[in-house]
């Protein structure tokens, strides 16, 4: 059951990272803000890995081709999912993109079952289904927002599929390294993934958006905060994925939604509708069923 506590710990850490990243989007742009979570999180991830290695009695990980392939696939899939989500939001709006991206939950569970042999009992499958329904109700767009949203819907679904691939790839990476030491293998995977993502994004922004790189450097104090919370959240996510299938981990991770809603209400004066409250309650029930499974 440790994976449940790690997933629960990841949620508020991720909300804190997102809140700090939100302030960076204006100057650095969405890709500059995305770079922050990887580049400025890497030093903290390395520090967390050093602690985990000491506790596990390991000096350096024994890197295998299976680990490198899995973590590289996860890193690229995560960035591709972010790119598809940004396109979906631009073409169809935030609401449509958000509801389509929720496909990552059932797709992650099905992918883990088919490709990795993850066995889930009836409670877990029912919990995932209920949580998916709650997320759909929570983020379903208004009728006028759906008009002309065809391409954005496809890109939102593509984002959900890519996130599902990333979740299962990171789970496989953790299992390929040190199955007996999930926290050690998870933090090693975080370091490798963030290195790959940082290199790709720095190179891309240096060519196409050098101004975004300057903005990231100039806001280094705020970037360090986002990097720290992002690294801590990633360590918890990867640790949970090393111990449990991606579907249940993603489902329990939905507890991020009420935390984000509370933060949005307090920090940004955002309000929730009755439909959102009902959807949130249904998602919470699904999380409980998944955890019991």
């Amino acid at each position: 059951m440790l994976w449940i506590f790690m997933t629960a710990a990841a949620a508020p850490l991720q909300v804190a990272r997102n809140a700090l990243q939100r302030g960076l989007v204006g100057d650095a742009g969405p890709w500059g803000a995305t770079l922050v979570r990887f580049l400025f999180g890497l030093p903290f991830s390395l520090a967390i890995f050093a602690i985990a290695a000491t506790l596990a009695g390991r000096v350096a990980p024994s890197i295998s081709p299976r680990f490198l392939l899995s973590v590289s696939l996860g890193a690229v899939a995560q960035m591709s999912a972010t790119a598809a989500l940004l396109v979906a939001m631009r073409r169809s709006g935030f609401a449509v993109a958000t509801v389509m991206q929720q496909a990552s939950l059932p797709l992650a569970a099905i992918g883990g079952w088919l490709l990795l042999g993850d066995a889930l009992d009836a409670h877990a499958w029912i919990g995932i289904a209920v949580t998916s329904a709650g997320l759909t109700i929570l983020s379903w767009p208004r009728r006028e927002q759906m008009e002309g949203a065809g391409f954005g819907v496809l890109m939102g679904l593509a984002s959900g599929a890519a996130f599902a691939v990333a979740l299962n790839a990171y789970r496989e990476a953790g299992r390929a390294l040190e199955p007996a030491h999930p926290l050690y293998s998870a933090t090693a995977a975080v370091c490798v993934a963030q290195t790959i993502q940082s290199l790709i994004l720095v190179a891309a922004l240096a060519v196409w958006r050098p101004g975004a790189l300057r903005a990231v450097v100039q806001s280094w104090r705020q970037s360090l905060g986002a990097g720290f919370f992002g690294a801590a959240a990633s360590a918890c996510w990867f640790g949970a994925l090393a111990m449990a299938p991606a579907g249940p981990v993603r489902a329990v991770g939905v507890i991020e939604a009420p935390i984000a809603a509370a933060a949005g209400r307090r920090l940004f004066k955002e309000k929730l509708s009755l439909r959102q409250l009902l959807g949130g309650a249904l998602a919470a029930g699904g999380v409980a069923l998944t955890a019991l499974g």
Side-chain angles (χ1 to χ4, degrees):
M1 301 296 283
L2 178 59
W3 68 271
I4 295 177
F5 295 104
M6 295 196 70
T7 306
L13 292 169
Q14 187 157 294
V15 170
R17 184 206 67 202
N18 290 342
L20 288 172
Q21 275 188 299
R22 175 172 173 159
L24 294 170
V25 172
D27 295 328
W31 285 113
T34 301
L35 172 62
V36 163
R37 66 180 290 188
F38 304 131
L39 182 62
F40 286 87
L42 185 55
F44 297 107
S45 295
L46 290 170
I48 294 172
F49 170 68
I51 295 172
T54 300
L55 294 175
R58 297 289 191 275
V59 177
S62 178
I63 303 298
S64 67
R66 176 183 161 204
F67 169 79
L68 281 177
L69 178 62
S70 298
V71 76
S72 298
L73 176 61
V76 174
Q78 187 178 17
M79 288 193 300
S80 300
T82 301
L85 186 60
L86 290 171
V87 172
M89 288 179 176
R90 188 178 302 117
R91 294 293 295 269
S92 303
F94 180 82
V96 174
T98 299
V99 72
M100 293 300 109
Q101 189 267 330
Q102 305 303 345
S104 63
L105 173 50
L107 290 176
I110 294 170
W113 173 56
L114 289 175
L115 301 177
L116 304 182
D118 289 332
L120 302 179
D121 60 20
H123 278 99
W125 283 113
I126 294 172
I128 288 169
V130 172
T131 304
S132 299
L135 286 175
T136 302
I137 295 172
L138 185 66
S139 53
W140 192 260
R142 296 187 297 273
R143 181 178 300 175
E144 61 270 20
Q145 293 174 308
M146 287 295 292
E147 294 177 1
F151 182 70
V153 167
L154 292 176
M155 293 305 293
L157 288 172
S159 174
F163 274 125
V165 170
L167 285 167
N168 282 300
Y170 287 146
R171 169 163 168 72
E172 181 65 9
R175 297 198 307 179
L177 192 62
E178 283 280 356
H181 299 280
L183 298 182
Y184 170 78
S185 60
T187 51
V190 171
C191 293
V192 175
Q194 289 186 337
T195 299
I196 294 170
Q197 292 162 329
S198 296
L199 290 174
I200 292 174
L201 283 173
V202 167
L205 290 176
V207 174
W208 288 296
R209 288 288 308 278
L213 281 179
R214 288 192 294 270
V216 168
V217 173
Q218 290 168 357
S219 59
W220 64 272
R221 288 185 178 85
Q222 190 175 359
S223 296
L224 279 175
F228 168 74
F229 286 114
S234 294
C236 290
W237 280 118
F238 279 49
L241 286 168
M243 290 182 275
V249 171
R250 174 69 175 83
V252 174
V254 170
I255 63 169
E256 176 190 352
I259 297 173
R265 184 177 180 85
R266 183 172 182 84
L267 299 176
F268 307 116
K269 309 303 180 185
E270 297 173 352
K271 295 183 178 179
L272 295 177
S273 66
L274 177 60
R275 185 193 68 182
Q276 289 172 318
L277 291 172
L278 292 174
L282 188 60
V287 168
L289 278 173
T290 305
L292 287 174

